[in-house]
Amino acid sequence: MYSRLSIVMFPILLVALIGAGVWGYLEHQEKNSILIKAENQYQRAFHDLSFHVNKLHSELGNTLAVNTASQDSYKKGLINVWRITSQAQSEINQLPLTLLPFNKTEEFLANMANFSYRAALRDLNKQPLTQEELGTLNALYQHSSEISTNLRDMQSKVLTNNLRWMDVETALATEKEPLDNAIIDGFQTMDKKVSEYSDVKWSPSVMNIYQKRDMKMLSGNDATAEEIRRKAAQFLNLQDPSVLQVVENGAGTEFHSFSVTAPRNQSSDGVHMDYSTKGGQLLWFAAPRDVTEKKLDVRKARDTAAEFLDSHDYKNMTAVSYDEYNNNANITFASRKNDVINYLDKVSVKVALDNGEILGLQATDYVFDHKDREHKAPKLTAEEARKSLNPNLKVDKEAKALIRNDAQEEVLCYEYTGRINGGVYRIYINGETGTEEKIDRLGKDEQQVTQS
């Protein structure tokens, strides 16, 4: 009996064993294939990075070598510097360096990209590069040579010693100190050298891009937890403020704020709010819940949001964009004064489309950018500015608008909303120069919110 059973079972077990072996082999091969592919991608990104930083050094040298009277050549060189620097940044992002302190080099390249881009945006015939900016270009030329040399040295070690990037990823993931890896050592040494580049004088316009919002920018006295509790109760129309939980965040730092949580019958999540310490202003609130059906149309949702803003002292706001998702409407409003739409003063309101309940408010832009501004009348008329538009654009609306352009400057523009090539666009034309400052694509069949 046992012999007959063994005769039957042996082939079955043999087939199973062979199958397990084949499966294991295929799994091993697939894993190796993935590892090889990842290694090849890392190697490509690293060698491309070395190539582009070397090319960046050459381009900076070419830019400095042009005749100082040839501003157009400066513009061309600066655009190339911006383009190559952007490529280098992209390649750094493809390397497994997220756990490695490499922020000084990344910040240096980002500043270089913004410096060259913002300088190239100018009309250099009217605003030529200053002596300080030329000094910055010279410093960038010198330092890009040092970074390029460091990368070439690392590249030589990688090729000579057959170093693998997968080992870098493993070393970083283990978080063991010290990190014994030639590539890691090379990048750490480079980042330390870059942190010592004190001779590069970035212009204020470049640094403004990285200006962080903090409570010191706001006016008013520091609020207490009890004052925030009362403000939140009033905003939520609660009779008993004691049900609110107030937590202080980041005491002693520039991000000092208060978080408020309120119970809510419809949701276990409750209501959440954040207030600035300085001045006690509401930054945002959220009262999430599932919205299972849609009953309200665009206009009703807009009107409901506008009434909410008006009742909470956000005055003279006009709807400028509308988005709908999961039966919720997200409507953005901007302030309007003297027929100028101020896109710096923005708030977004989330409306439930089943009953019109306000489920959220994002007011951070409004808190930090709201102030009295006086605008000079634009030099150009709306008709003169319209000449800068594509003649095929069918204009539906026009208005004056205050925006922040790519150079982070506040610019008074004429805003034209129109249709071309099956899309709906907003185009902003500088009211002083007639140049095109910005284009926003609103979508193919975007639901338009009538400005009011």
Side-chain angles (χ1 to χ4, degrees):
M1 176 180 174
Y2 289 111
S3 62
R4 286 199 301 270
L5 183 62
S6 63
I7 292 172
V8 173
M9 293 300 297
F10 179 75
I12 295 174
L13 292 172
L14 181 62
V15 171
L17 183 62
I18 294 172
V22 171
W23 176 81
Y25 175 77
L26 293 176
E27 283 288 302
H28 178 71
Q29 288 293 96
E30 185 177 356
K31 181 180 178 181
N32 280 344
S33 175
I34 293 171
L35 292 175
I36 291 170
K37 183 177 180 180
E39 179 65 29
N40 289 340
Q41 289 175 338
Y42 289 149
Q43 292 286 356
R44 177 192 55 75
F46 174 62
H47 294 301
D48 284 350
L49 172 64
S50 180
F51 169 77
H52 281 123
V53 172
N54 184 60
K55 190 174 180 182
L56 178 63
H57 172 65
S58 299
E59 192 60 47
L60 284 164
N62 294 342
T63 304
L64 287 167
V66 302
N67 187 332
T68 55
S70 178
Q71 297 298 329
D72 287 339
S73 296
Y74 271 133
K75 183 181 284 287
K76 180 181 177 182
L78 289 165
I79 290 173
N80 285 335
V81 168
W82 167 73
R83 177 178 54 80
I84 297 168
T85 308
S86 299
Q87 288 175 317
Q89 288 177 281
S90 173
E91 283 141 12
I92 287 175
N93 290 332
Q94 295 173 46
L95 295 173
L97 302 174
T98 52
L99 300 177
L100 181 67
F102 196 57
N103 56 307
K104 293 299 180 183
T105 305
E106 291 180 286
E107 183 180 319
F108 179 80
L109 289 172
N111 280 338
M112 190 189 301
N114 284 303
F115 170 81
S116 55
Y117 178 68
R118 291 170 69 92
L121 277 180
R122 289 183 351 218
D123 184 343
L124 293 176
N125 291 308
K126 295 179 180 178
Q127 290 180 278
L129 294 177
T130 65
Q131 287 302 313
E132 184 175 300
E133 288 171 328
L134 288 171
T136 298
L137 275 178
N138 270 295
L140 295 178
Y141 174 68
Q142 299 296 330
H143 294 315
S144 63
S145 174
E146 296 169 11
I147 296 173
S148 179
T149 300
N150 289 334
L151 283 171
R152 284 202 303 272
D153 289 344
M154 291 170 58
Q155 193 175 22
S156 177
K157 290 179 181 177
V158 167
L159 294 173
T160 302
N161 301 317
N162 197 26
L163 301 179
R164 299 193 324 149
W165 277 93
M166 295 305 296
D167 294 335
V168 173
E169 195 169 42
T170 302
L172 290 172
T174 58
E175 298 182 353
K176 291 181 180 179
E177 296 289 346
L179 296 172
D180 184 19
N181 184 281
I183 296 177
I184 294 175
D185 292 343
F187 274 95
Q188 287 178 328
T189 301
M190 186 195 310
D191 204 54
K192 185 176 185 302
K193 288 181 180 179
V194 173
S195 69
E196 297 168 356
Y197 291 165
S198 58
D199 58 330
V200 181
K201 307 297 182 185
W202 303 113
S203 62
S205 60
V206 171
M207 300 313 294
N208 282 343
I209 292 179
Y210 298 100
Q211 185 180 31
K212 295 180 180 178
R213 288 172 167 174
D214 61 62
M215 300 308 162
K216 295 177 184 177
M217 299 169 61
L218 304 179
S219 59
N221 298 321
D222 286 350
T224 66
E226 277 309 307
E227 288 172 335
I228 295 300
R229 192 188 306 276
R230 289 195 296 270
K231 283 175 176 283
Q234 183 179 6
F235 184 89
L236 297 172
N237 198 24
L238 292 176
Q239 300 300 318
D240 182 12
S242 65
V243 301
L244 300 176
Q245 181 182 359
V246 181
V247 177
E248 191 173 7
N249 306 312
T253 73
E254 62 268 34
F255 305 109
H256 192 189
S257 63
F258 288 99
S259 292
V260 180
T261 305
R264 188 159 172 261
N265 293 333
Q266 301 98 318
S267 170
S268 58
D269 291 336
V271 176
H272 303 278
M273 313 169 76
D274 260 16
Y275 279 85
S276 68
T277 306
K278 199 83 166 175
Q281 298 189 65
L282 177 64
L283 299 172
W284 60 268
F285 102 92
R289 68 171 174 85
D290 291 334
V291 182
T292 57
E293 58 180 339
K294 175 183 175 181
K295 295 181 179 179
L296 307 183
D297 60 15
V298 175
R299 186 174 294 275
K300 180 60 178 175
R302 182 209 64 183
D303 292 345
T304 301
E307 290 171 8
F308 168 81
L309 290 176
D310 195 56
S311 67
H312 288 90
D313 213 28
Y314 295 94
K315 302 296 184 182
N316 302 315
M317 307 297 288
T318 184
V320 293
S321 70
Y322 177 94
D323 185 39
E324 189 177 308
Y325 181 73
N326 281 351
N327 298 321
N328 292 301
N330 289 290
I331 308 171
T332 301
F333 290 78
S335 65
R336 183 198 287 268
K337 181 181 179 182
N338 298 331
D339 294 325
V340 175
I341 301 171
N342 184 352
Y343 282 92
L344 309 183
D345 284 358
K346 289 196 307 253
V347 295
S348 294
V349 183
K350 185 176 182 179
V351 183
L353 293 177
D354 55 356
N355 61 6
E357 182 184 6
I358 304 300
L359 300 183
L361 172 72
Q362 177 54 256
T364 305
D365 286 336
Y366 187 91
V367 169
F368 283 96
D369 280 317
H370 181 67
K371 60 183 178 182
D372 289 331
R373 294 176 171 89
E374 294 298 329
H375 310 295
K376 295 189 301 182
K379 289 183 179 179
L380 304 179
T381 65
E383 284 302 315
E384 290 170 334
R386 191 188 281 244
K387 294 176 183 177
S388 300
L389 298 173
N390 186 318
N392 295 320
L393 180 74
K394 182 181 177 182
V395 177
D396 297 322
K397 302 174 189 173
E398 69 178 39
K400 292 176 188 174
L402 182 70
I403 67 167
R404 193 171 274 122
N405 64 12
D406 289 341
Q408 298 300 299
E409 300 163 335
E410 294 184 11
V411 184
L412 183 61
C413 295
Y414 286 102
E415 171 195 291
Y416 300 93
T417 304
R419 301 168 186 273
I420 187 172
N421 297 328
V424 182
Y425 297 85
R426 279 204 188 111
I427 301 175
Y428 302 89
I429 304 297
N430 191 307
E432 294 290 309
T433 64
T435 56
E436 184 182 275
E437 291 285 356
K438 189 178 178 184
I439 299 177
D440 288 334
R441 190 177 192 277
L442 304 182
K444 185 176 180 180
D445 295 310
E446 180 78 10
Q447 289 177 289
Q448 299 297 303
V449 178
T450 305
Q451 293 177 348
S452 59

